[in-house]
Amino acid sequence: MFSGVKQGSCLSPAIFNVFINQLKQLGVGCHISSLFLGCILYADDLLLLSPSVTGLQAMLDKCSEVAKVLSLEFNAEKSHCITIGKKNAGDITSMNLCGNLVEWCESIKYLGVNIQRGTSIKFGINPTKRAFYAACNMSTVRNF
């Protein structure tokens, strides 16, 4: 979630490859066998996955470093953290991204889907469904 590259720009995939390669080389983040799954991205939305808080902070530090080199900016106000797993704790120190605090919250919205904090991963589409129904109710059909 950064600004500095026009959406749809031919540079976008190249810059995201830089982020993925840098994060992969850290050796932290989630892996399944030899497959790196610590960074999921779509367009300008970036999701970092780490099995530890220290690993997540290392990934955020690397993102800050790469963003500085490429003159890009992350929007810390749109950045959030959640915990998922057996050791789901509510009292964790805030993460740091480019000198800004990233707070822990109960749920995040990624690509229109709510991911909720808990002992197992939970997805919710109710807010999106409500927004859809509200938009439908606002439009009126006139019969003449």
Side-chain angles (χ1 to χ4, degrees), residues 56-72:
L56 178 59
Q57 187 58 63
M59 293 172 83
L60 291 171
D61 291 343
K62 183 54 79 172
C63 285
S64 299
E65 181 185 313
V66 173
K68 187 175 181 180
V69 169
L70 297 176
S71 298
L72 300 173

Side-chain angles (χ1 to χ4, degrees), residues 97-117:
L97 176 63
C98 299
N100 299 301
L101 291 181
V102 179
E103 300 291 328
W104 294 90
C105 57
E106 294 296 315
S107 68
I108 60 169
K109 188 173 185 177
Y110 185 70
L111 302 178
V113 176
N114 285 347
I115 304 171
Q116 300 165 345
R117 175 185 152 211

Side-chain angles (χ1 to χ4, degrees), residues 3-5 9 16 19 24 38 40 43 52 57 59 67 73 77 82 86 91 97 100 116-117 131 134 137 139 141:
S3 60
V5 176
S9 166
F16 274 119
F19 274 104
K24 205 183 218 184
I40 299 172
S52 71
Q57 187 58 63
M59 293 172 83
E73 292 179 19
E77 290 180 17
I82 63 169
K86 292 178 184 176
D91 194 23
L97 176 63
N100 299 301
Q116 300 165 345
R117 175 185 152 211
N137 288 335
S139 63
V141 178

Side-chain angles (χ1 to χ4, degrees), residues 2 16-17 24 27 30-31 37 47-48 65 72 95 111 115 117 120 123 141:
F2 61 87
F16 274 119
N17 280 334
K24 205 183 218 184
C30 292
H31 291 82
L37 293 174
L47 184 65
L48 299 177
E65 181 185 313
L72 300 173
M95 300 282 96
L111 302 178
I115 304 171
R117 175 185 152 211
S120 62
F123 298 99
V141 178

